[in-house]
Amino acid sequence: MTVSQIDEEVAKLLELKVQLGGDEGRHQFTLKTAKGTRDYNPKQMAIREKVFNTIISCFKRHGAENIDTPVFELKETLTGKYGEDSKLIYDLKDQGGELLSLRYDLTVPFARYLAMNKVTNIKRYHIAKVYRRDNPAMTRGRYREFYQCDFDIAGQYDPMIPDAECLKIVHEILSELELGDFRIKVNDRRILDGMFAVCGVPDDKFRTICSTVDKLDKMSWEDVRSEMVKEKGLSEEAADQIGQYVSLQGGMDLAERLLQDAKMSQSKQACAGLTDMKQLFSYLQLFQVTDKVVFDLSLARGLDYYTGVIYEAILTQTGPVPKAEEGVSVGSVAGGGRYDGLVGMFDPKGRKVPCVGVSIGIERVFSIMEQKAEASAEKVRTTETQVMVASAQKNLLEERLRLTAELWNAGIKAEVMYKKNPKLLSQLQHCEDSGIPLVAILGEQELKDGVVKLRTVHSREEIDVSRAKLVEEIKRRTSDV
Amino acid sequence: MINLGMASLRLYAGLVGCRSGSCARSLRTLSGMTVSQIDEEVAKLLELKVQLGGDEGRHQFTLKTAKGTRDYNPKQMAIREKVFNTIISCFKRHGAENIDTPVFELKETLTGKYGEDSKLIYDLKDQGGELLSLRYDLTVPFARYLAMNKVTNIKRYHIAKVYRRDNPAMTRGRYREFYQCDFDIAGQYDPMIPDAECLKIVHEILSELELGDFRIKVNDRRILDGMFAVCGVPDDKFRTICSTVDKLDKMSWEDVRSEMVKEKGLSEEAADQIGQYVSLQGGMDLAERLLQDAKMSQSKQACAGLTDMKQLFSYLQLFQVTDKVVFDLSLARGLDYYTGVIYEAILTQTGPVPVAAAQNGAGEKAEEGVSVGSVAGGGRYDGLVGMFDPKGRKVPCVGVSIGIERVFSIMEQKAEVRKGDGRETLCG
């Protein structure tokens, strides 16, 4: 039997199953979302919209284009790209067609897009959800479906300029979101690898030791050293030598010092990374962001595909409520780096397209903003309605509908109650609950006089406005706000 | 156990020996196969596939998106952003809130909600956890959200992608991943007011998007069912006859009549009586006339629907949208869960470039298998949330779904046309 014959038979059997009523036997009430996923209610969506607007404005300020890709890729596209994390990929059921998997990040789809469309230069952002079957015991509180917000620059350019722009963007976004103080740690894969080499780490252990060093943001050095020696089989000498370096932090000065370091300078790779690090800092000075950026030798970052500079932004205070249970570096809100080899893995001729980018940890940002909203007295509005069209008297539904349509036609955001004879009090209560600032009240006498009572909800002040001037008056008042 | 073994043997014998069509026949003659037997067979076949090297034998550069899906490049995204902004402004103008739900639901949540279309649902692989499926629309997740959060009143919009494993042979060009743009009002209110607001919203959106002239057809499930009853359609044939009547937007009456009589077993008299009604279109006047119609007025259901239709039109007049709305007795709409008013908006011209022209690839939309100009549809569905609530508590709902992909397609064509004849510097 060939693979396609098997596919055909499977498809027929599945159809037969549907005819038999398939899995439809159990009729229970399923009132939950899938594990690790959640709905966003209107308040959360309002916060989310504000955050996206801030971030997208920043991306646009820097000339980025926007793309979108499908939620699932061919399984083969994702195979071999995520190392140990591959087991966290959600697969789709084999229903007789192509084997598919849900995207794990936005970077691999981006590389596939570049290769597929033979794009050599692009500056793009992409905001979308990604999927990871995290083991809940290990990462309590982490979602399996979550937003990623990526910005990447692809193309062959003079070194470190686009890398510096990515960091400038992170700095701008974190400043504008007002999440409190932050730091951006930078390092370089070549410096790390060079450091491992001169410390005596065997080549074949580089990646696995790198994973362990990456845990320094949540584990102590003792525990990290212990894992390197006991679990990963590294010699104690090598571990200690690593220990000397990973405690170092600084700026351009540290890069200069390490270039002079007797051991480190033996590695050509490390020297290349250190030279670029100096260049990076000179650009960061011109971009005026060095106040928050620190060259930190302990930064490792999990993913295999980074080839050059790597960075991670953390919040230094967590605001009013500490987020202790996240299981990730408590304050991490963004991360990224350079990955020059990824697109080449997709291109049939192996043509390389160098890339550098950053991913904003949106879920963390949402979480912080939600907490701030809870703590603050100010209500988050879930609608943008400007006017409620109301009446205190009976039998005025037609008039209310007529006026509401006039307001909509003039572009004014208006609501009307879906009741023939609502009580004025309920209409006013709705305004209080939703934060609607104005009420246009109709009455028999007002209709005769050709006016509408316009009431300001919070002050309860009312004035009569002529029907003809109502739209103008509402627009004037709502633009002041 | 022995029977199971025998069944397997028969199945394998049938498969190994055959080439093409004979396989299908041997499957159909196998009566008595249970669901779990099928599961077993499928699992065995899939293992065999893996042994053969399955789909992993080919280590080629995978430079394609999954079948039925596509990337959006920056130009398309720019168009998409404009379209969304227009639509969302309209929703906000009407005081709608926004929600979002996960891309997959528990398989059980989606089970039993889509009738014949259930086979088009994408399932996730059983990886040892809950059984999951990708959402098929935004309406069932909405009903689940309402029941789960015990929400009784909400006016919400939701714009997101949905997933359907359409059979490519039948629906060439139709995407398997596509955007839906839904607006729904849930809650117990005085009749027809929210229903009228939905229609006002469709009218505003289609006008602002400048897609050309359009019409919004309205009808009512109760009027349809009442009509079927008085025309002599047996109760158990209502839904299936309804599906056939639904095809009037793409098939001629002769073909529809033929399907009703020959395939669905309806009597010719009943078919002819239906034929008299489904050709009728009008406004409030038509509803009034039908309330006086000797036959139609015998159905209480139809009368309720017709009375509400008159009320609807009176509100539409106040909303100033009756110029584009027509009460059309041939409108049926596929989905089972509608309980009251139903509507569908169609474009009456397709703009400067006829959609049938296939040159820029957007001609795919002509073969959609849906009414060529259809850009929005919806209706009232009062029973859906009750299916999710453990106590069966009902939350009446009415809503509309904008056919965003069709709108993108038209806007993309318009952009091409403007570029193509070199007028881009003159046009805005």
Side-chain angles (χ1 to χ4, degrees), chain B residues 95-124:
Chain B
E97 300 180 297
N98 190 201
I99 69 164
D100 197 10
T101 63
V103 81
F104 46 69
E105 297 273 343
L106 296 180
K107 190 171 158 70
E108 357 171 356
T109 300
L110 306 187
T111 297
K113 308 295 185 309
Y114 301 103
E116 292 177 11
D117 289 341
S118 295
K119 61 185 186 290
L120 301 181
I121 295 175
Y122 274 101
D123 290 328
L124 267 67

PDB file of all heavy atoms in Angstrom, chain B residues 95-124:
ATOM      1  N   GLY B  95     -21.861  50.840  20.153  1.00  0.00           N
ATOM      2  CA  GLY B  95     -21.691  50.468  21.559  1.00  0.00           C
ATOM      3  C   GLY B  95     -21.321  49.019  21.803  1.00  0.00           C
ATOM      4  O   GLY B  95     -21.616  48.487  22.875  1.00  0.00           O
ATOM      5  N   ALA B  96     -20.649  48.385  20.848  1.00  0.00           N
ATOM      6  CA  ALA B  96     -20.297  46.987  21.043  1.00  0.00           C
ATOM      7  C   ALA B  96     -18.992  46.845  21.809  1.00  0.00           C
ATOM      8  O   ALA B  96     -18.077  47.644  21.659  1.00  0.00           O
ATOM      9  CB  ALA B  96     -20.182  46.284  19.698  1.00  0.00           C
ATOM     10  N   GLU B  97     -18.918  45.809  22.638  1.00  0.00           N
ATOM     11  CA  GLU B  97     -17.687  45.441  23.326  1.00  0.00           C
ATOM     12  C   GLU B  97     -16.979  44.396  22.470  1.00  0.00           C
ATOM     13  O   GLU B  97     -17.549  43.866  21.525  1.00  0.00           O
ATOM     14  CB  GLU B  97     -18.020  44.831  24.690  1.00  0.00           C
ATOM     15  CG  GLU B  97     -18.783  45.769  25.598  1.00  0.00           C
ATOM     16  CD  GLU B  97     -19.110  45.143  26.943  1.00  0.00           C
ATOM     17  OE1 GLU B  97     -19.844  44.140  26.979  1.00  0.00           O
ATOM     18  OE2 GLU B  97     -18.636  45.669  27.970  1.00  0.00           O
ATOM     19  N   ASN B  98     -15.746  44.091  22.852  1.00  0.00           N
ATOM     20  CA  ASN B  98     -14.943  43.156  22.079  1.00  0.00           C
ATOM     21  C   ASN B  98     -14.577  41.974  22.971  1.00  0.00           C
ATOM     22  O   ASN B  98     -14.274  42.166  24.160  1.00  0.00           O
ATOM     23  CB  ASN B  98     -13.679  43.893  21.609  1.00  0.00           C
ATOM     24  CG  ASN B  98     -12.848  43.143  20.591  1.00  0.00           C
ATOM     25  OD1 ASN B  98     -11.660  43.415  20.422  1.00  0.00           O
ATOM     26  ND2 ASN B  98     -13.449  42.205  19.897  1.00  0.00           N
ATOM     27  N   ILE B  99     -14.654  40.753  22.481  1.00  0.00           N
ATOM     28  CA  ILE B  99     -14.108  39.620  23.241  1.00  0.00           C
ATOM     29  C   ILE B  99     -13.217  38.790  22.335  1.00  0.00           C
ATOM     30  O   ILE B  99     -13.196  38.974  21.113  1.00  0.00           O
ATOM     31  CB  ILE B  99     -15.201  38.691  23.851  1.00  0.00           C
ATOM     32  CG1 ILE B  99     -15.934  37.912  22.756  1.00  0.00           C
ATOM     33  CG2 ILE B  99     -16.159  39.463  24.740  1.00  0.00           C
ATOM     34  CD1 ILE B  99     -16.713  36.729  23.306  1.00  0.00           C
ATOM     35  N   ASP B 100     -12.463  37.881  22.933  1.00  0.00           N
ATOM     36  CA  ASP B 100     -11.659  36.948  22.148  1.00  0.00           C
ATOM     37  C   ASP B 100     -11.711  35.591  22.832  1.00  0.00           C
ATOM     38  O   ASP B 100     -11.856  35.502  24.067  1.00  0.00           O
ATOM     39  CB  ASP B 100     -10.220  37.442  22.016  1.00  0.00           C
ATOM     40  CG  ASP B 100      -9.468  36.750  20.888  1.00  0.00           C
ATOM     41  OD1 ASP B 100     -10.103  36.022  20.081  1.00  0.00           O
ATOM     42  OD2 ASP B 100      -8.239  36.920  20.803  1.00  0.00           O
ATOM     43  N   THR B 101     -11.638  34.535  22.039  1.00  0.00           N
ATOM     44  CA  THR B 101     -11.676  33.176  22.572  1.00  0.00           C
ATOM     45  C   THR B 101     -10.507  32.394  21.971  1.00  0.00           C
ATOM     46  O   THR B 101      -9.906  32.840  20.992  1.00  0.00           O
ATOM     47  CB  THR B 101     -13.000  32.458  22.196  1.00  0.00           C
ATOM     48  OG1 THR B 101     -13.066  32.330  20.767  1.00  0.00           O
ATOM     49  CG2 THR B 101     -14.214  33.250  22.670  1.00  0.00           C
ATOM     50  N   PRO B 102     -10.161  31.236  22.543  1.00  0.00           N
ATOM     51  CA  PRO B 102      -9.026  30.480  22.026  1.00  0.00           C
ATOM     52  C   PRO B 102      -9.287  29.900  20.635  1.00  0.00           C
ATOM     53  O   PRO B 102     -10.433  29.698  20.251  1.00  0.00           O
ATOM     54  CB  PRO B 102      -8.870  29.341  23.048  1.00  0.00           C
ATOM     55  CG  PRO B 102      -9.538  29.831  24.285  1.00  0.00           C
ATOM     56  CD  PRO B 102     -10.683  30.657  23.801  1.00  0.00           C
ATOM     57  N   VAL B 103      -8.203  29.595  19.936  1.00  0.00           N
ATOM     58  CA  VAL B 103      -8.363  29.085  18.570  1.00  0.00           C
ATOM     59  C   VAL B 103      -8.899  27.650  18.580  1.00  0.00           C
ATOM     60  O   VAL B 103      -9.530  27.219  17.628  1.00  0.00           O
ATOM     61  CB  VAL B 103      -7.026  29.159  17.799  1.00  0.00           C
ATOM     62  CG1 VAL B 103      -6.118  27.973  18.155  1.00  0.00           C
ATOM     63  CG2 VAL B 103      -7.260  29.209  16.294  1.00  0.00           C
ATOM     64  N   PHE B 104      -8.630  26.935  19.687  1.00  0.00           N
ATOM     65  CA  PHE B 104      -9.233  25.604  19.750  1.00  0.00           C
ATOM     66  C   PHE B 104     -10.145  25.503  20.977  1.00  0.00           C
ATOM     67  O   PHE B 104      -9.980  26.207  21.969  1.00  0.00           O
ATOM     68  CB  PHE B 104      -8.198  24.470  19.749  1.00  0.00           C
ATOM     69  CG  PHE B 104      -7.014  24.641  20.666  1.00  0.00           C
ATOM     70  CD1 PHE B 104      -7.143  24.594  22.046  1.00  0.00           C
ATOM     71  CD2 PHE B 104      -5.744  24.800  20.126  1.00  0.00           C
ATOM     72  CE1 PHE B 104      -6.034  24.733  22.874  1.00  0.00           C
ATOM     73  CE2 PHE B 104      -4.632  24.933  20.951  1.00  0.00           C
ATOM     74  CZ  PHE B 104      -4.776  24.905  22.322  1.00  0.00           C
ATOM     75  N   GLU B 105     -11.139  24.640  20.846  1.00  0.00           N
ATOM     76  CA  GLU B 105     -12.086  24.373  21.930  1.00  0.00           C
ATOM     77  C   GLU B 105     -11.984  22.888  22.262  1.00  0.00           C
ATOM     78  O   GLU B 105     -11.413  22.122  21.486  1.00  0.00           O
ATOM     79  CB  GLU B 105     -13.525  24.662  21.476  1.00  0.00           C
ATOM     80  CG  GLU B 105     -13.826  26.096  21.092  1.00  0.00           C
ATOM     81  CD  GLU B 105     -14.236  26.980  22.273  1.00  0.00           C
ATOM     82  OE1 GLU B 105     -14.601  26.441  23.341  1.00  0.00           O
ATOM     83  OE2 GLU B 105     -14.181  28.217  22.113  1.00  0.00           O
ATOM     84  N   LEU B 106     -12.549  22.499  23.385  1.00  0.00           N
ATOM     85  CA  LEU B 106     -12.668  21.079  23.671  1.00  0.00           C
ATOM     86  C   LEU B 106     -13.526  20.504  22.549  1.00  0.00           C
ATOM     87  O   LEU B 106     -14.515  21.117  22.132  1.00  0.00           O
ATOM     88  CB  LEU B 106     -13.348  20.845  25.016  1.00  0.00           C
ATOM     89  CG  LEU B 106     -12.600  21.352  26.235  1.00  0.00           C
ATOM     90  CD1 LEU B 106     -13.396  21.041  27.495  1.00  0.00           C
ATOM     91  CD2 LEU B 106     -11.214  20.715  26.330  1.00  0.00           C
ATOM     92  N   LYS B 107     -13.148  19.356  22.044  1.00  0.00           N
ATOM     93  CA  LYS B 107     -13.879  18.742  20.941  1.00  0.00           C
ATOM     94  C   LYS B 107     -15.370  18.625  21.284  1.00  0.00           C
ATOM     95  O   LYS B 107     -16.237  18.862  20.441  1.00  0.00           O
ATOM     96  CB  LYS B 107     -13.281  17.369  20.648  1.00  0.00           C
ATOM     97  CG  LYS B 107     -13.787  16.719  19.374  1.00  0.00           C
ATOM     98  CD  LYS B 107     -12.968  15.462  19.071  1.00  0.00           C
ATOM     99  CE  LYS B 107     -13.753  14.515  18.160  1.00  0.00           C
ATOM    100  NZ  LYS B 107     -13.886  15.069  16.798  1.00  0.00           N
ATOM    101  N   GLU B 108     -15.667  18.294  22.528  1.00  0.00           N
ATOM    102  CA  GLU B 108     -17.066  18.118  22.926  1.00  0.00           C
ATOM    103  C   GLU B 108     -17.873  19.398  22.792  1.00  0.00           C
ATOM    104  O   GLU B 108     -19.086  19.345  22.596  1.00  0.00           O
ATOM    105  CB  GLU B 108     -17.239  17.618  24.369  1.00  0.00           C
ATOM    106  CG  GLU B 108     -16.028  17.322  25.125  1.00  0.00           C
ATOM    107  CD  GLU B 108     -16.262  17.030  26.613  1.00  0.00           C
ATOM    108  OE1 GLU B 108     -17.394  17.130  27.127  1.00  0.00           O
ATOM    109  OE2 GLU B 108     -15.258  16.708  27.249  1.00  0.00           O
ATOM    110  N   THR B 109     -17.213  20.527  22.930  1.00  0.00           N
ATOM    111  CA  THR B 109     -17.925  21.794  22.803  1.00  0.00           C
ATOM    112  C   THR B 109     -18.489  21.957  21.398  1.00  0.00           C
ATOM    113  O   THR B 109     -19.589  22.485  21.198  1.00  0.00           O
ATOM    114  CB  THR B 109     -16.981  22.969  23.117  1.00  0.00           C
ATOM    115  OG1 THR B 109     -16.486  22.840  24.445  1.00  0.00           O
ATOM    116  CG2 THR B 109     -17.670  24.303  22.958  1.00  0.00           C
ATOM    117  N   LEU B 110     -17.740  21.496  20.401  1.00  0.00           N
ATOM    118  CA  LEU B 110     -18.160  21.691  19.019  1.00  0.00           C
ATOM    119  C   LEU B 110     -19.033  20.556  18.507  1.00  0.00           C
ATOM    120  O   LEU B 110     -19.734  20.696  17.501  1.00  0.00           O
ATOM    121  CB  LEU B 110     -16.931  21.825  18.104  1.00  0.00           C
ATOM    122  CG  LEU B 110     -15.907  22.890  18.486  1.00  0.00           C
ATOM    123  CD1 LEU B 110     -14.850  23.005  17.402  1.00  0.00           C
ATOM    124  CD2 LEU B 110     -16.569  24.244  18.687  1.00  0.00           C
ATOM    125  N   THR B 111     -18.994  19.424  19.232  1.00  0.00           N
ATOM    126  CA  THR B 111     -19.728  18.247  18.782  1.00  0.00           C
ATOM    127  C   THR B 111     -21.221  18.500  18.754  1.00  0.00           C
ATOM    128  O   THR B 111     -21.781  19.064  19.693  1.00  0.00           O
ATOM    129  CB  THR B 111     -19.416  17.071  19.726  1.00  0.00           C
ATOM    130  OG1 THR B 111     -18.029  16.787  19.628  1.00  0.00           O
ATOM    131  CG2 THR B 111     -20.197  15.830  19.322  1.00  0.00           C
ATOM    132  N   GLY B 112     -21.870  18.051  17.715  1.00  0.00           N
ATOM    133  CA  GLY B 112     -23.319  18.141  17.637  1.00  0.00           C
ATOM    134  C   GLY B 112     -23.878  19.505  17.326  1.00  0.00           C
ATOM    135  O   GLY B 112     -25.074  19.736  17.436  1.00  0.00           O
ATOM    136  N   LYS B 113     -23.011  20.456  16.931  1.00  0.00           N
ATOM    137  CA  LYS B 113     -23.530  21.798  16.673  1.00  0.00           C
ATOM    138  C   LYS B 113     -23.626  22.141  15.199  1.00  0.00           C
ATOM    139  O   LYS B 113     -24.254  23.127  14.830  1.00  0.00           O
ATOM    140  CB  LYS B 113     -22.652  22.862  17.353  1.00  0.00           C
ATOM    141  CG  LYS B 113     -22.385  22.644  18.817  1.00  0.00           C
ATOM    142  CD  LYS B 113     -23.648  22.731  19.647  1.00  0.00           C
ATOM    143  CE  LYS B 113     -23.379  22.625  21.136  1.00  0.00           C
ATOM    144  NZ  LYS B 113     -22.555  21.481  21.533  1.00  0.00           N
ATOM    145  N   TYR B 114     -22.944  21.389  14.342  1.00  0.00           N
ATOM    146  CA  TYR B 114     -22.851  21.797  12.950  1.00  0.00           C
ATOM    147  C   TYR B 114     -23.492  20.845  11.947  1.00  0.00           C
ATOM    148  O   TYR B 114     -23.327  21.010  10.743  1.00  0.00           O
ATOM    149  CB  TYR B 114     -21.386  22.024  12.568  1.00  0.00           C
ATOM    150  CG  TYR B 114     -20.720  23.079  13.420  1.00  0.00           C
ATOM    151  CD1 TYR B 114     -19.845  22.724  14.442  1.00  0.00           C
ATOM    152  CD2 TYR B 114     -20.993  24.437  13.237  1.00  0.00           C
ATOM    153  CE1 TYR B 114     -19.252  23.685  15.243  1.00  0.00           C
ATOM    154  CE2 TYR B 114     -20.411  25.403  14.030  1.00  0.00           C
ATOM    155  CZ  TYR B 114     -19.545  25.022  15.033  1.00  0.00           C
ATOM    156  OH  TYR B 114     -18.960  25.979  15.830  1.00  0.00           O
ATOM    157  N   GLY B 115     -24.215  19.854  12.436  1.00  0.00           N
ATOM    158  CA  GLY B 115     -24.907  18.950  11.520  1.00  0.00           C
ATOM    159  C   GLY B 115     -23.966  18.267  10.566  1.00  0.00           C
ATOM    160  O   GLY B 115     -22.926  17.728  10.951  1.00  0.00           O
ATOM    161  N   GLU B 116     -24.332  18.299   9.283  1.00  0.00           N
ATOM    162  CA  GLU B 116     -23.548  17.618   8.243  1.00  0.00           C
ATOM    163  C   GLU B 116     -22.147  18.193   8.113  1.00  0.00           C
ATOM    164  O   GLU B 116     -21.235  17.517   7.635  1.00  0.00           O
ATOM    165  CB  GLU B 116     -24.235  17.767   6.883  1.00  0.00           C
ATOM    166  CG  GLU B 116     -25.542  17.023   6.756  1.00  0.00           C
ATOM    167  CD  GLU B 116     -26.210  17.284   5.394  1.00  0.00           C
ATOM    168  OE1 GLU B 116     -25.549  17.858   4.508  1.00  0.00           O
ATOM    169  OE2 GLU B 116     -27.382  16.899   5.250  1.00  0.00           O
ATOM    170  N   ASP B 117     -21.976  19.436   8.497  1.00  0.00           N
ATOM    171  CA  ASP B 117     -20.672  20.077   8.327  1.00  0.00           C
ATOM    172  C   ASP B 117     -19.636  19.629   9.350  1.00  0.00           C
ATOM    173  O   ASP B 117     -18.485  20.022   9.271  1.00  0.00           O
ATOM    174  CB  ASP B 117     -20.827  21.596   8.386  1.00  0.00           C
ATOM    175  CG  ASP B 117     -21.535  22.149   7.154  1.00  0.00           C
ATOM    176  OD1 ASP B 117     -21.585  21.439   6.129  1.00  0.00           O
ATOM    177  OD2 ASP B 117     -22.034  23.289   7.217  1.00  0.00           O
ATOM    178  N   SER B 118     -20.045  18.802  10.321  1.00  0.00           N
ATOM    179  CA  SER B 118     -19.111  18.366  11.361  1.00  0.00           C
ATOM    180  C   SER B 118     -17.863  17.709  10.809  1.00  0.00           C
ATOM    181  O   SER B 118     -16.810  17.751  11.424  1.00  0.00           O
ATOM    182  CB  SER B 118     -19.773  17.383  12.321  1.00  0.00           C
ATOM    183  OG  SER B 118     -20.796  18.036  13.019  1.00  0.00           O
ATOM    184  N   LYS B 119     -17.986  17.088   9.631  1.00  0.00           N
ATOM    185  CA  LYS B 119     -16.822  16.384   9.103  1.00  0.00           C
ATOM    186  C   LYS B 119     -15.744  17.361   8.623  1.00  0.00           C
ATOM    187  O   LYS B 119     -14.629  16.957   8.324  1.00  0.00           O
ATOM    188  CB  LYS B 119     -17.221  15.456   7.960  1.00  0.00           C
ATOM    189  CG  LYS B 119     -17.840  16.162   6.762  1.00  0.00           C
ATOM    190  CD  LYS B 119     -18.299  15.109   5.746  1.00  0.00           C
ATOM    191  CE  LYS B 119     -18.797  15.713   4.462  1.00  0.00           C
ATOM    192  NZ  LYS B 119     -20.080  16.421   4.605  1.00  0.00           N
ATOM    193  N   LEU B 120     -16.095  18.638   8.572  1.00  0.00           N
ATOM    194  CA  LEU B 120     -15.133  19.638   8.120  1.00  0.00           C
ATOM    195  C   LEU B 120     -14.302  20.227   9.259  1.00  0.00           C
ATOM    196  O   LEU B 120     -13.494  21.126   9.052  1.00  0.00           O
ATOM    197  CB  LEU B 120     -15.867  20.777   7.392  1.00  0.00           C
ATOM    198  CG  LEU B 120     -16.681  20.362   6.160  1.00  0.00           C
ATOM    199  CD1 LEU B 120     -17.317  21.592   5.532  1.00  0.00           C
ATOM    200  CD2 LEU B 120     -15.811  19.637   5.151  1.00  0.00           C
ATOM    201  N   ILE B 121     -14.520  19.728  10.472  1.00  0.00           N
ATOM    202  CA  ILE B 121     -13.804  20.286  11.616  1.00  0.00           C
ATOM    203  C   ILE B 121     -12.375  19.728  11.692  1.00  0.00           C
ATOM    204  O   ILE B 121     -12.164  18.530  11.515  1.00  0.00           O
ATOM    205  CB  ILE B 121     -14.558  19.959  12.925  1.00  0.00           C
ATOM    206  CG1 ILE B 121     -15.916  20.676  12.914  1.00  0.00           C
ATOM    207  CG2 ILE B 121     -13.754  20.367  14.148  1.00  0.00           C
ATOM    208  CD1 ILE B 121     -16.788  20.341  14.104  1.00  0.00           C
ATOM    209  N   TYR B 122     -11.405  20.589  11.969  1.00  0.00           N
ATOM    210  CA  TYR B 122     -10.022  20.166  12.171  1.00  0.00           C
ATOM    211  C   TYR B 122      -9.870  19.689  13.612  1.00  0.00           C
ATOM    212  O   TYR B 122     -10.137  20.451  14.551  1.00  0.00           O
ATOM    213  CB  TYR B 122      -9.069  21.354  12.024  1.00  0.00           C
ATOM    214  CG  TYR B 122      -8.611  21.680  10.627  1.00  0.00           C
ATOM    215  CD1 TYR B 122      -9.193  22.723   9.910  1.00  0.00           C
ATOM    216  CD2 TYR B 122      -7.561  20.986  10.027  1.00  0.00           C
ATOM    217  CE1 TYR B 122      -8.751  23.053   8.633  1.00  0.00           C
ATOM    218  CE2 TYR B 122      -7.118  21.308   8.753  1.00  0.00           C
ATOM    219  CZ  TYR B 122      -7.717  22.342   8.061  1.00  0.00           C
ATOM    220  OH  TYR B 122      -7.278  22.672   6.802  1.00  0.00           O
ATOM    221  N   ASP B 123      -9.405  18.462  13.785  1.00  0.00           N
ATOM    222  CA  ASP B 123      -9.136  17.988  15.138  1.00  0.00           C
ATOM    223  C   ASP B 123      -7.652  18.103  15.429  1.00  0.00           C
ATOM    224  O   ASP B 123      -6.821  18.003  14.523  1.00  0.00           O
ATOM    225  CB  ASP B 123      -9.525  16.508  15.282  1.00  0.00           C
ATOM    226  CG  ASP B 123     -11.029  16.315  15.237  1.00  0.00           C
ATOM    227  OD1 ASP B 123     -11.772  17.214  15.691  1.00  0.00           O
ATOM    228  OD2 ASP B 123     -11.463  15.256  14.759  1.00  0.00           O
ATOM    229  N   LEU B 124      -7.323  18.256  16.722  1.00  0.00           N
ATOM    230  CA  LEU B 124      -5.920  18.171  17.106  1.00  0.00           C
ATOM    231  C   LEU B 124      -5.605  16.717  17.429  1.00  0.00           C
ATOM    232  O   LEU B 124      -6.493  15.948  17.808  1.00  0.00           O
ATOM    233  CB  LEU B 124      -5.634  19.080  18.295  1.00  0.00           C
ATOM    234  CG  LEU B 124      -5.130  20.487  17.889  1.00  0.00           C
ATOM    235  CD1 LEU B 124      -6.209  21.264  17.198  1.00  0.00           C
ATOM    236  CD2 LEU B 124      -4.596  21.223  19.091  1.00  0.00           C
TER     237      LEU B 124
END
